[in-house]
Amino acid sequence: MTGVNDRDGRASTALLTDQYELTMLSAALADGSAHRPCVFEVFARRLPNGRRYGVVAGTGRLLEALGEFRFGERELATVAGFLDERTLTWLREYRFGGDIDGYAEGELYFPGSPILSVRGTFAECVVLETLILSILNHDSAIASAAARMVSAAGGRRMIEMGSRRTHELAAPSSARAAYLAGFDATSNLEAVRRYGVPGAGTSAHAFTLLHSGAHGSDEAGAFRSQVETLGIGTTLLVDTFDITEGVATAIAVAGPELGGVRIDSGDLGVLARQVRDQLDGLGATKTRIVVSGDLDEYAIAALRAEPVDVYGVGTSLVTGSGAPTAGMVYKLVEVDGRPVAKRSSHKESRGGAKRAVRLARDTGTVVEEIVYPAAGAAPATNGFQARELAVPLVREGKVADEAPTLADGRALVARGLVSLPWEGLKLSAGEPAIPTTFLN
């Protein structure tokens, strides 16, 4: 566990890092290079296999974490065994005092996009590497997966339900990233409290099984209890036993104004059609059908023609199989105003601080991203509309007043998806939705 600051009892984020960040710091302080002005950049060399775009997520969380990156006595005690007194003294006084520019949270990104640019001394920037990458890689992976699912759902309601399939401390940030990308609600109450994501959820099979006795199950009793407690707008889980009987019992108990029924297993497409016909026949024409159970974007797309009103998504959203890593890296690209670049095979980086513009047709459809030297002039647009992508996030260590909110990011994702050429929204494997051009 990290230590606790004395303000608001909030935990320090200083130990959410790798040891080699601090051993590099120690050596740089010893040889005098720690204070050289540097620029680090975050980018992804490529998108995960099959992906045509990525979604930047986690920026808001990162800015909060940056404010808590402080070395108190508990943090210093953890690292004192391998650091000298000079380094410990420096860490005790550490406050990031540099500048950060980056793509706004919710912006789409492509291979090579300069997603984040961190300026300051080597010492104050290098210690942030792991914190920055762990937040951006996790949240961007979730948001990128969620955006594909939202597109596949075609405007139908989406509920994030992945808390039980991921680490307990990752669950709220997963829910936040999914909401950013267009999900409507989450089952995770910490995400409701911490980030204001709308909550959703009613009951599980255990509640129905609870109402079993010596004479067998009492599904009607379970449904009656839920309706009396939560109201007629609740959603009843109808597939604990026989789904046809479950639907009939639900409407018999709640009446035709029941809010919804949930199906959690079986052939969801076939069952959704059967349940819709049954509900309509019972006069419950407005009762919604909620489906859940190992859904991913492909399953959601396959159900698009079925009478499904709400999707509940868990495992495939929050695990590596459904949300493969965003693959972002944090590389030193400039020292003392001069470009530096890594030349390792398949892990090359482009030297020099960069900016980027995205070109679009008059219709709003994007056609290209151009990355150019930050010190140079903006590139020619060739008649296309051009939009600068980086926004100020931190100035002299303080979060910029105009830093975007979660609501801003949610709107930006929606606009970004609409701006992609139609082939960029395909779920099949293919090239990035638009090309990235690099200018020297």
Side-chain angles (χ1 to χ4, degrees):
M1 293 290 291
T2 55
V4 175
N5 293 325
D6 57 8
R7 58 186 192 285
D8 301 329
R10 290 178 291 182
S12 167
T13 59
L15 296 184
L16 300 177
T17 191
D18 289 308
Q19 182 168 316
Y20 81 163
E21 315 289 8
L22 302 189
T23 53
M24 282 191 290
L25 167 66
S26 181
L29 288 171
D31 69 17
S33 61
H35 307 295
R36 297 176 71 179
C38 293
V39 178
F40 285 80
E41 281 184 350
V42 174
F43 61 93
R45 294 187 176 92
R46 61 193 65 85
L47 298 174
N49 289 338
R51 299 297 171 88
R52 296 172 184 255
Y53 62 87
V55 177
V56 176
T59 312
R61 293 207 310 118
L62 172 59
L63 295 178
E64 288 183 5
L66 182 63
E68 305 305 326
F69 198 90
R70 305 284 188 266
F71 285 84
E73 293 309 312
R74 294 177 64 181
E75 288 73 41
L76 292 170
T78 300
V79 301
F82 62 88
L83 295 178
D84 57 28
E85 189 58 38
R86 171 173 46 204
T87 306
L88 294 174
T89 299
W90 189 92
L91 290 174
R92 184 175 285 110
E93 301 301 321
Y94 176 78
R95 302 290 186 274
F96 178 72
D99 297 339
I100 301 177
D101 293 315
Y103 285 27
E105 187 163 32
E107 190 72 78
L108 304 186
Y109 72 89
F110 301 95
S113 294
I115 294 165
L116 204 71
S117 179
V118 184
R119 295 175 172 80
T121 66
F122 176 81
E124 64 182 338
C125 294
V126 74
V127 296
L128 298 177
E129 175 183 9
T130 301
L131 181 72
I132 288 173
L133 288 181
S134 62
I135 292 175
L136 293 184
N137 269 319
H138 174 269
D139 288 24
S140 297
I142 301 294
S144 298
R148 285 162 58 89
M149 296 176 186
V150 169
S151 294
R156 298 177 188 180
R157 182 172 168 81
M158 304 284 287
I159 303 173
E160 185 278 323
M161 302 167 64
S163 296
R164 290 168 292 169
R165 298 294 185 265
T166 189
H167 190 282
E168 72 273 14
L169 299 182
S173 56
S174 298
R176 181 188 184 278
Y179 182 69
L180 172 84
F183 272 57
D184 299 284
T186 179
S187 64
N188 186 275
L189 290 178
E190 180 60 17
V192 174
R193 182 193 72 83
R194 191 182 303 178
Y195 303 120
V197 179
T202 51
S203 70
H205 295 293
F207 187 73
T208 303
L209 294 172
L210 172 67
H211 292 74
S212 300
H215 301 292
S217 64
D218 183 12
E219 193 171 44
F223 290 171
R224 187 175 300 109
S225 173
Q226 185 176 327
V227 170
E228 289 175 353
T229 304
L230 302 180
I232 202 68
T234 192
T235 298
L236 298 176
L237 182 58
V238 294
D239 67 342
T240 304
F241 305 113
D242 180 85
I243 191 168
T244 301
E245 290 184 11
V247 171
T249 302
I251 301 305
V253 168
E257 299 303 314
L258 175 64
V261 296
R262 179 160 73 96
I263 310 168
D264 190 49
S265 58
D267 188 325
L268 297 178
V270 171
L271 292 174
R273 291 195 299 274
Q274 292 176 354
V275 169
R276 183 74 271 160
D277 288 343
Q278 186 180 4
L279 288 171
D280 291 348
L282 294 170
T285 57
K286 296 181 180 179
T287 299
R288 295 165 300 175
I289 297 176
V290 182
V291 298
S292 56
D294 294 328
L295 295 175
D296 59 15
E297 60 265 48
Y298 304 105
I300 292 169
L303 290 168
R304 195 163 174 176
E306 308 299 347
V308 173
D309 300 291
V310 184
Y311 299 97
V313 185
T315 303
S316 294
L317 179 61
V318 300
T319 65
S321 58
T325 178
M328 295 178 185
V329 294
Y330 183 85
K331 296 301 176 185
L332 180 62
V333 296
E334 198 170 281
V335 178
D336 294 330
R338 297 190 302 273
V340 295
K342 182 179 177 182
R343 301 301 181 194
S344 305
S345 178
H346 303 297
K347 289 190 174 183
E348 302 88 350
S349 61
R350 292 179 171 84
K354 305 168 198 68
R355 297 182 66 83
V357 296
R358 194 165 292 162
L359 304 185
R361 303 183 191 277
D362 292 338
T363 59
T365 301
V366 293
V367 297
E368 183 182 16
E369 184 162 316
I370 301 178
V371 179
Y372 65 98
T381 63
N382 299 318
F384 292 109
Q385 298 176 353
R387 181 170 64 88
E388 282 279 350
L389 294 169
V391 298
L393 298 173
V394 175
R395 287 292 177 268
E396 296 181 351
K398 299 184 183 300
V399 175
D401 292 338
E402 60 269 34
T405 65
L406 180 57
D408 294 331
R410 184 173 165 85
L412 186 56
V413 174
R415 292 198 301 272
L417 294 177
V418 171
S419 75
L420 289 178
W422 69 269
E423 60 270 19
L425 293 172
K426 288 182 177 179
L427 298 181
S428 58
E431 296 298 314
I434 60 173
T436 304
T437 300
F438 296 90
L439 304 181
N440 296 321

